[in-house]
Amino acid sequence: MVSQRDREILRDDLRARGTKLSVAERESLLKGYLPDPAELGTKPASQPTASERRKAQRKTPIRTFLKSQTHYLAYAFTHIIFGIVVRLLQAYHAVVDRIFAIVYHHHRTPELIRKDVKNLKRLPQHLSTILTLRKEDDALAVLMDEVAELAAWSSCSGISQLSVYEKSGVLKSCIPALHQIITTKLASYYGTPSHQPILQVFAPHHPVHRSAPISKNTDNTAQPQTLTILLLSSTDGRETLVDLTKTLAEMSQNGKLSPEDITPDLVDAEISEITMQPLSMDPSLPDTVLKPEPDLLLVFGPFLKLDGYPPWQLRLTEMYCTGGRSHGLSGDGEAVEYQGYMRGLWHFAGAQMRFGR
C-alpha cells in the first residue's frame, strides 16, 4: 500500500505539472512498489482437459452415418417414383389425346363438327381464346392459321362470336391478311362462297373488315350466318381502364359529370363501347353487335395464364385450360387442336352457373 508521505509528494508534483520531481526521483519513489522483474515467470500454456481430449478423439458414431444414408436413399427413391409416375401420366394423356384426335377429327366437314356438338346442353354465344406468339421464324403465319382454324370450328359449331387475345397485338397490324386467311380456311370447310358465313374481323380503334354478303336463294328467308371476330391485346386491358379512369376524373373535376353518376353500369357501357365496337362501320350493312363478356375462355397452354387479358370482360366467364390434360410427352401443350377445343365445349356444357345465387 502506498504510504501517506509518498502519496502527498506525488500529488504535489502533479499539481506543479511535474516540475518538483525529476524523472530519476519519480522512478526511485515508485520502484519500491513495483515487483522484481526476476520474480516474474512466464505462464505455462493451457493444457486441454481430459473431456476435451476425449471429445477430439471421438469418432463419428455409426448411427449418424446410417441415418444420413437412409435420408439420401429415401430422397432418391422418392425422386425415382415421382419421375416414373409423371412419365406414365404424360404417356397416358398423350395416348388419350391421340385417340380423341382420331375419333373426333373434323376432317374439315361442318356436318361432323355439328354432330360432335349436337348433344351438348348449351353452347357459348361468345367464345374467347388466348393465343401466344411463338419464337419461330414462321410464328405469325402459324398464329394466323390457328385463328383461322378456331374461326372455322366456331362457325361450324354455331358460335357466331369469337374474340382472340394475343398479348403483343401483332394481329391488329395485319387484319386484311388475317381476313383473307380466314376466308380461305372457311372455303376449305364450306366450299363455295355462297355456303360460307359472312365474316367480319375488327379490333378496337380499327375499321371492320367484312366480306360482302352473297345472295343464296330468293326463296330462303333465313338470315345468313355471320361470324364476328374481335382481336384483343394487352393495350385493351389495364391501359383502357386507366385511360377511362383519367377521363372520368377530368370530367368530374370540370363539372361535366357528377361523381354520383359514375356507376359500374356507366363503366361497363364505356368499356364495352371502347373495346367491342369497331372504329367505323358500313351503313349499308347491319351493325356489328358483340356480346361484351365472353361465355367461355379457352386457354391453349400448359397452365391457366391470363397474360394481361382485359379483366373487366371476365366477370362471369367460364375458363378452361387445355394444357392440364392435353400436353404430350414434350409437355408443351400450346398447339391449338380440335380435341382441346371440344373439351372446352364439353366443360362449358357441364358447368354449373349460379351467378351468385
Side-chain angles (χ1 to χ4, degrees):
M1 185 176 179
V2 182
S3 63
Q4 183 67 24
R5 176 178 171 277
D6 294 339
R7 187 183 298 112
E8 293 296 334
I9 293 173
L10 289 174
R11 288 179 178 176
D12 293 341
D13 183 63
L14 290 175
R15 294 190 190 99
R17 299 181 181 276
T19 57
K20 286 188 176 184
L21 298 177
S22 63
V23 176
E25 291 175 345
R26 283 195 295 270
E27 290 180 355
S28 62
L29 185 63
L30 296 175
K31 188 175 182 180
Y33 301 100
L34 297 177
D36 188 3
E39 297 178 356
L40 297 177
T42 57
K43 185 178 180 180
S46 59
Q47 298 294 331
T49 61
S51 60
E52 292 177 350
R53 287 196 300 269
R54 287 195 301 268
K55 186 179 295 184
Q57 296 175 358
R58 184 179 180 182
K59 297 181 179 180
T60 304
I62 189 65
R63 288 177 297 177
T64 304
F65 172 76
L66 293 177
K67 185 178 180 180
S68 61
Q69 294 301 317
T70 303
H71 289 169
Y72 292 148
L73 182 61
Y75 180 78
F77 183 75
T78 303
H79 267 263
I80 293 173
I81 296 299
F82 184 77
I84 293 175
V85 171
V86 169
R87 288 297 178 180
L88 289 177
L89 288 176
Q90 290 179 349
Y92 168 76
H93 290 307
V95 172
V96 171
D97 287 338
R98 291 306 96 194
I99 294 175
F100 274 109
I102 296 173
V103 175
Y104 290 97
H105 195 272
H106 50 79
H107 298 286
R108 295 189 177 183
T109 305
E111 289 77 11
L112 293 178
I113 298 178
R114 296 191 190 100
K115 181 181 178 181
D116 292 337
V117 301
K118 180 180 179 181
N119 296 326
L120 297 181
K121 295 181 180 179
R122 59 174 176 267
L123 288 173
Q125 298 180 8
H126 181 184
L127 173 64
S128 185
T129 180
I130 297 178
L131 300 180
T132 304
L133 182 66
R134 297 180 177 86
K135 299 180 180 180
E136 290 80 3
D137 296 335
D138 58 344
L140 181 58
V142 173
L143 180 63
M144 290 193 292
D145 185 72
E146 291 176 346
V147 175
E149 288 285 358
L150 285 170
W153 299 340
S154 301
S155 176
C156 296
S157 302
I159 302 173
S160 60
Q161 300 176 8
L162 174 66
S163 58
V164 179
Y165 175 82
E166 196 279 321
K167 184 176 181 179
S168 64
V170 66
L171 292 175
K172 294 182 179 180
S173 60
C174 51
I175 294 180
L178 179 61
H179 184 277
Q180 182 61 37
I181 291 175
I182 297 175
T183 302
T184 305
K185 184 69 68 174
L186 292 176
S188 65
Y189 278 77
Y190 287 93
T192 59
S194 60
H195 295 86
Q196 298 178 20
I198 299 176
L199 175 64
Q200 44 191 8
V201 183
F202 71 97
H205 312 293
H206 289 74
V208 60
H209 289 260
R210 190 186 327 231
S211 57
I214 299 176
S215 58
K216 300 179 181 179
N217 191 352
T218 56
D219 297 335
N220 189 7
T221 59
Q223 293 292 333
Q225 184 181 0
T226 304
L227 177 61
T228 304
I229 299 178
L230 171 65
L231 304 178
L232 297 172
S233 64
S234 59
T235 57
D236 303 315
R238 296 183 179 90
E239 294 184 11
T240 300
L241 289 175
V242 172
D243 294 339
L244 179 60
T245 303
K246 291 180 179 179
T247 302
L248 294 178
E250 292 176 357
M251 293 178 64
S252 178
Q253 291 177 354
N254 296 332
K256 298 180 180 179
L257 183 66
S258 174
E260 289 76 12
D261 296 334
I262 303 177
T263 60
D265 295 335
L266 175 63
V267 177
D268 186 24
E270 292 294 333
I271 291 179
S272 300
E273 183 178 356
I274 294 173
T275 59
M276 298 295 172
Q277 296 295 331
L279 184 62
S280 61
M281 294 181 293
D282 189 354
S284 62
L285 296 175
D287 294 340
T288 301
V289 180
L290 198 66
K291 188 177 180 181
E293 297 184 19
D295 300 310
L296 174 63
L297 174 63
L298 282 179
V299 181
F300 290 93
F303 50 86
L304 183 59
K305 182 181 179 182
L306 298 181
D307 204 17
Y309 192 97
W312 191 268
Q313 286 81 355
L314 294 176
R315 295 173 297 176
L316 301 175
T317 301
E318 188 72 23
M319 302 181 189
Y320 181 77
C321 177
T322 62
R325 297 182 58 185
S326 65
H327 58 77
L329 292 176
S330 61
D332 295 335
E334 297 181 358
V336 177
E337 297 181 346
Y338 181 69
Q339 64 268 22
Y341 167 80
M342 285 302 304
R343 274 203 300 269
L345 296 184
W346 294 339
H347 174 80
F348 177 79
Q352 295 184 2
M353 301 180 184
R354 304 179 185 274
F355 300 106
R357 294 192 295 270

